Amino acid sequence: MFFQKPKTLLGLNIGSSYIKIVELKNSGPRYTLQNFGYTILPSDTIVDGTIMDSMAIINAIKNLVENLKIKKKQICTSISGHSVIIKKILMPLMDEDTVENTIYDEAAHHIPYDIFDVNLDFQILGPSLEANDKMDVLLVAVKKDVISDYLEVIEEAGLQPAVVDVDTFALENMYEYNYEDATEEIVTLVDIGSNITNINILKDGISNFNRDITIGSRQITEQLQKQLNLNYQTAEQLKLGVPVEGLKAEETGKLISDASFAYINEIAKTIDFYHTSASGSQVEKIYLAGGGAKLSGIVNAVQEITNISTEIINPFRDLIIPEAKFDLEYIQDIAPLAGVAVGLALRKDRIK
Ligand SMILES: Nc1ncnc2c1ncn2[C@@H]1O[C@H](COP(=O)(O)OP(=O)(O)OP(=O)(O)O)[C@@H](O)[C@H]1O
Ligand SMILES: [Mg+2]
């Protein structure tokens, strides 16, 4: 009898500020963390989801792969931002094959781009509550030119993209795997990135409502920079909690919490909107992900403003973490950064 070498899976999340890579080993019912690393991109490498400096990304990926000694080439990656459109639409009741055949015609009414310029995907959510002869379909469109720009840099960096997903669904995939035992019926996943905050409300594990807010953690740095007349680097350090000479912690703490109020308020408004549109449905839990979730005091602030129990998501919750290889304290500290990449690494095994 021959033993098969366990498969490893790679997830690559190219954010506008940080590139994250996760390697998992398929080790029975639970996966084992093999590798996790991230690297910071120079600012303006990616602007509004558009790659401005391909070389910076190629070099960053190459260095990360080399430093982590990753041998595998095939990866799953994802896109987010303006080039991704996610919409819940109503369609007459029909089977999946019929949706497949008609989705391009249908999508033309809902997508602001030429339908030939996008890749489409869909998921039938179930019978609609609004009309009894209709069903809800989640429509996902991603601009082809943006996908090909990302694929090009990944290939130039020596990797082979096998699957291209959307950030918010990768995070959902990570949640599904790690929180199988969760008892809440309705939860909100909030990915606070550098430039974008993705909000995904799940009901019974199915995506019910999606929204992107085009503000993220970078805006806090920019506000500190402006208000305290600092350079970007120093303002960023201050946001990460590194003391800066001549500045009092209480004052800067107040500036940081004022600056974060803008997107926390948007998160609260989005959830309120969901509550009014899906009458009777109440979000029971908010999970924060992304680098922005590491901001000091953010969990309490979100909880206070929304009045909903809030915690930082743990993408490693149901993974095996070999203690000989990882410093557990460090892994827990950087966990919020890994959400999308873990979901991507798990993705390849879970494609239906
Ligand atoms: N300890 C911390 N406190 C506050 N903010 C932090 C901390 N660590 C990282 N960040 C912020 O998190 C952001 C990076 O997070 P993340 O990797 O989730 O974003 P991204 O995926 O690159 O961005 P986007 O999804 O918007 O393209 C940076 O703006 C960084 O300043
Ligand atoms: Mg991100």
Side-chain angles (χ1 to χ4, degrees):
M1 171 137 183
F2 296 99
F3 288 102
Q4 255 193 338
K5 214 172 152 219
K7 244 192 340 179
T8 73
L9 308 150
L10 272 187
L12 174 71
N13 173 209
I14 305 178
S16 54
S17 282
Y18 291 17
I19 295 184
K20 285 81 63 179
I21 198 160
V22 165
E23 185 173 28
L24 301 179
K25 191 164 73 183
N26 188 344
S27 48
R30 288 167 77 205
Y31 291 81
T32 302
L33 184 67
Q34 284 278 101
N35 259 311
F36 172 58
Y38 72 93
T39 185
I40 302 178
L41 290 172
S43 61
D44 298 334
T45 303
I46 298 173
V47 176
D48 285 342
T50 304
I51 296 177
M52 308 303 280
D53 183 355
S54 306
M55 268 333 278
I57 303 179
I58 295 167
N59 290 333
I61 297 175
K62 277 186 174 167
N63 287 338
L64 204 50
V65 167
E66 202 179 302
N67 291 342
L68 296 172
K69 301 188 175 58
I70 289 172
K71 295 279 170 288
K72 196 178 170 69
K73 299 274 178 252
Q74 272 213 338
I75 54 117
C76 295
T77 193
S78 57
I79 311 272
S80 75
H82 298 299
S83 56
V84 178
I85 290 169
I86 302 168
K87 268 197 173 158
K88 194 162 87 171
I89 62 170
L90 274 179
M91 287 180 80
L93 293 168
M94 58 177 87
D95 61 27
E96 192 154 345
D97 286 346
T98 319
V99 179
E100 183 109 45
N101 291 331
T102 51
I103 195 73
Y104 271 84
D105 292 334
E106 186 64 36
H109 307 297
H110 302 280
I111 306 290
Y113 304 122
D114 188 320
I115 214 67
F116 296 107
D117 291 341
V118 293
N119 279 354
L120 283 183
D121 201 356
F122 69 88
Q123 191 190 355
I124 298 172
L125 298 176
S128 167
L129 296 176
E130 289 164 44
N132 54 16
D133 56 343
K134 298 254 163 82
M135 60 186 186
D136 289 325
V137 175
L138 194 69
L139 179 68
V140 184
V142 186
K143 287 192 81 185
K144 284 180 184 164
D145 56 346
V146 174
I147 297 180
S148 67
D149 284 354
Y150 276 80
L151 294 186
E152 209 170 289
V153 293
I154 292 167
E155 282 165 4
E156 280 287 317
L159 299 175
Q160 296 157 4
V163 173
V164 181
D165 200 347
V166 170
D167 280 22
T168 191
F169 296 136
L171 193 70
E172 182 179 325
N173 194 34
M174 178 280 293
Y175 170 79
E176 250 176 56
Y177 170 80
N178 281 294
Y179 289 80
E180 230 174 356
D181 58 343
T183 51
E184 294 89 6
E185 192 194 359
I186 307 182
V187 302
T188 300
L189 307 184
V190 182
D191 182 0
I192 309 172
S194 186
N195 290 294
I196 287 197
T197 299
N198 299 127
I199 299 177
N200 186 8
I201 302 181
L202 304 177
K203 184 172 184 191
D204 295 321
I206 292 173
S207 179
N208 225 242
F209 187 89
N210 258 284
R211 193 182 156 213
D212 277 353
I213 302 169
T214 45
I215 26 177
S217 186
R218 188 188 164 98
Q219 270 72 23
I220 299 183
T221 309
E222 286 173 351
Q223 290 212 24
L224 290 175
Q225 188 183 358
K226 233 190 281 165
Q227 295 185 358
L228 299 169
N229 202 16
L230 302 170
N231 64 35
Y232 186 85
Q233 230 36 48
T234 314
E236 176 74 6
Q237 290 302 307
L238 194 60
K239 183 185 75 176
L240 304 189
V242 181
V244 171
E245 223 184 282
L247 294 172
K248 289 208 186 84
E250 312 88 73
E251 278 169 37
T252 52
K254 168 91 175 66
L255 286 177
I256 290 172
S257 62
D258 286 352
S260 58
F261 185 75
Y263 59 70
I264 299 178
N265 213 21
E266 284 299 317
I267 296 169
K269 276 207 264 180
T270 303
I271 294 175
D272 275 349
F273 177 77
Y274 172 77
H275 285 159
T276 2
S277 55
S279 53
S281 299
Q282 283 289 321
V283 172
E284 290 148 83
K285 183 100 180 196
I286 298 173
Y287 288 101
L288 302 181
K294 283 170 56 53
L295 188 75
S296 157
I298 192 147
V299 172
N300 285 344
V302 172
Q303 190 155 288
E304 254 169 48
I305 295 173
T306 60
N307 218 1
I308 298 167
S309 158
T310 303
E311 65 181 71
I312 293 186
I313 206 151
N314 181 4
F316 305 127
R317 187 174 187 256
D318 209 18
L319 293 177
I320 300 164
I321 315 278
E323 281 187 44
K325 190 164 181 179
F326 297 100
D327 172 350
L328 294 187
E329 219 172 290
Y330 172 71
I331 278 291
Q332 284 317 317
D333 183 50
I334 55 171
L337 289 171
V340 170
V342 168
L344 287 170
L346 289 167
R347 179 84 167 95
K348 191 135 181 278
D349 260 14
R350 291 158 64 88
I351 293 173
K352 285 165 203 132

